[in-house]
Amino acid sequence: MTSASALAPATGHSHIFLGTGHEQNERKTWAVIALCSAMMLVEIIGGSLFGSLALIADGLHMSTHAGAMLIAALAYTYARRHATDARFVFGTGKLGDLAGFTSAIILAMIALLIAYEAIARFLAPVPIHFREAIPIACVGLLVNIISAWVLSGGDHPGHSHTHGHAHEHDHAAHGHDGETRRILIVDGSIELSIDEAEGSPHFRAVLGGAAAGPMASTLELETLREGNKRQRFHFVDRGAYWESREEIPEPHAFGATLRFAGNDYQLIFEEHEHADVPGAAQGSMHRDNNIRSAYIHVLADAAVSVLAITGLVLASTFGWNWMDPLAGIIGALVIANWSYGLMRDAGRILMDMNPDAQLTRRLRQTIECNGDRIVDLHLWRLGPGHLGAVISIATTKPRDCEFYRAQLSHFGLLSHLTIEVIPVAS
């Protein structure tokens, strides 16, 4: 006999899984479209007035640039406007990945076209108008540099908690973001955290309900680190909370056994990163593949402009006309490489691949360290900074979903969590 329950508040929850910088990135993308469109009009009109075919051609190229940006901008706008549309079962957070995948295909086609044109010019060289081509390439590079500057900073490490599964804690009191563990006992609770407010990290326990009674003095904790290294911590009453006498050594990643009133509770603490580096340094969890695709498109265009300028200058100075198509082939290879990376990363998300095997292992350890057994576990990305999980747990103990919610509450990325509890005979 089995029983299943969804790990969600009784009042329901929203499915808004957009990244923290969604609206900001949307505005940036529209700004780049406006810049490219203005440049396109200037080049086409100027080329028509002064009879420059090269200027007209670059203006038309700029139109394709604006078109690629338009995919990203429309994806942002549509995802925001339909974020609460019930037809999207898990929200519109993946729309940016779909737009990124589409842009990656367009980039791959552009790489093929550049390579084809470069090979054709190797086989059948054409005369180059250096006086017109070099200034146009320089102007194109300037536009791309400005566009890249506007789009920069689009990957933010944070993520929105506008959904119904709140995982908030009093970080000012606890001092170690994301390290609070809540243990439910009969008619009470214990909130255990790592306090670094005074510089020397200690365990801090806030006891509520029955836990704050006479049995509070029985509180004790033992950590277990790699190499079977154990350390015992004893607690003293500080009034509003209990604090460990012993200081916690680095790193703050270990298993722990909390002993209270004759019962043992197994916990896991993880070392959290607080890097401020943008882009890929934040990992794929928070990466916005839509702004990434727009940024890569701009970088690809800038790389082609740099290579074109280099090839044109060398060809003009030394008569090496073959440098121009060679620069084109190098540019095509660079764009193809970026396109493949974007297509691979966005495709994995669209196909609901497991985004992080290590996180899956940590989830399993957190549940199974209490003597339960996970019989099924699915983890996937819902949007930048948002993960969904479905977990089936077999247990011999009288535990419900609220117990497991408390166990997993420190995994802030789990924006949509469903748990099935399967009672089994002991």
Side-chain angles (χ1 to χ4, degrees), residues 163 186 209 285 318 325 368 375 425:
H163 47 83
V186 179
M285 298 297 189
F318 301 104
E368 294 187 341
V375 296

Side-chain angles (χ1 to χ4, degrees), residues 87-395:
R87 294 176 299 172
F88 297 97
V89 180
F90 286 106
T92 56
K94 282 187 181 179
L95 197 60
D97 300 297
L98 180 60
F101 189 84
T102 305
S103 292
I105 294 175
I106 294 174
L107 279 169
M109 294 172 63
I110 290 173
L112 287 174
L113 288 173
I114 293 174
Y116 174 81
E117 182 67 22
I119 293 172
R121 292 199 176 193
F122 263 126
L123 299 175
V126 297
I128 304 173
H129 303 283
F130 296 107
R131 290 183 179 180
E132 287 183 336
I134 293 176
I136 291 172
C138 291
V139 172
L141 176 60
L142 178 62
V143 171
N144 288 318
I145 291 173
I146 296 173
S147 299
W149 177 76
V150 171
L151 293 173
S152 63
D155 276 321
H156 298 282
H159 62 282
S160 173
H161 281 284
T162 56
H163 47 83
H165 304 278
H167 303 290
E168 287 118 8
H169 303 284
D170 185 358
H171 301 311
H174 298 310
H176 196 280
D177 185 19
E179 285 294 331
T180 299
R181 306 290 184 270
R182 188 166 184 262
I183 300 103
L184 299 178
I185 64 171
V186 179
D187 298 326
S189 64
I190 302 172
E191 288 193 0
L192 184 70
S193 62
I194 297 176
D195 177 31
E196 295 179 317
E198 302 299 326
S200 299
H202 292 79
F203 284 109
R204 174 178 290 192
V206 178
L207 281 62
M215 297 299 294
S217 59
T218 65
L219 189 67
E220 191 178 87
L221 185 141
E222 185 179 62
T223 59
L224 176 63
R225 298 175 181 267
E226 290 185 5
N228 202 33
K229 296 179 181 177
R230 298 176 181 270
Q231 181 180 3
R232 186 164 292 182
F233 294 81
H234 304 85
F235 287 80
V236 293
D237 189 359
R238 302 297 189 194
Y241 58 92
W242 289 68
E243 186 179 57
S244 64
R245 292 193 185 99
E246 297 81 8
E247 182 178 330
I248 308 171
E250 294 284 354
H252 298 164
F254 42 77
T257 301
L258 182 69
R259 297 188 176 94
F260 180 79
N263 295 311
D264 288 355
Y265 303 91
Q266 303 299 323
L267 306 169
I268 291 179
F269 283 81
E270 303 281 349
E271 192 73 56
H272 290 268
E273 296 180 2
H274 302 283
D276 293 322
V277 250
Q282 297 303 328
S284 59
M285 298 297 189
H286 303 283
R287 181 183 294 146
D288 185 338
N289 282 318
N290 197 21
I291 196 70
R292 180 186 171 201
S293 68
Y295 193 64
I296 287 177
H297 194 96
V298 169
L299 287 182
D301 220 33
V304 171
S305 295
V306 170
L307 289 168
I309 293 170
T310 303
L312 288 169
V313 169
L314 290 175
S316 175
T317 305
F318 301 104
W320 300 343
N321 286 1
W322 49 269
M323 277 299 302
D324 183 55
L326 179 61
I329 289 177
I330 296 173
L333 292 174
V334 171
I335 295 173
N337 183 58
W338 288 342
S339 170
Y340 170 75
L342 179 59
M343 199 180 302
R344 176 199 59 209
D345 294 342
R348 285 174 175 172
I349 295 170
L350 294 173
M351 293 301 295
D352 291 331
M353 285 184 66
N354 188 323
D356 191 334
Q358 183 179 4
L359 179 59
T360 302
R361 178 183 57 79
R362 287 163 51 197
L363 287 170
R364 186 176 294 277
Q365 288 177 344
T366 302
I367 296 296
E368 294 187 341
C369 70
N370 283 312
D372 299 321
R373 181 170 58 90
I374 291 180
V375 296
D376 198 18
L377 171 59
H378 300 281
L379 186 70
W380 73 100
R381 202 179 96 146
L382 301 166
H386 297 279
L387 296 180
V390 176
I391 308 176
S392 296
I393 305 169
T395 179

Side-chain angles (χ1 to χ4, degrees), residues 391-409:
I391 308 176
S392 296
I393 305 169
T395 179
T396 60
K397 302 175 179 64
R399 293 171 173 170
D400 59 9
C401 288
E402 289 299 321
F403 174 83
Y404 298 107
R405 175 192 290 189
Q407 290 292 101
L408 301 176
S409 63

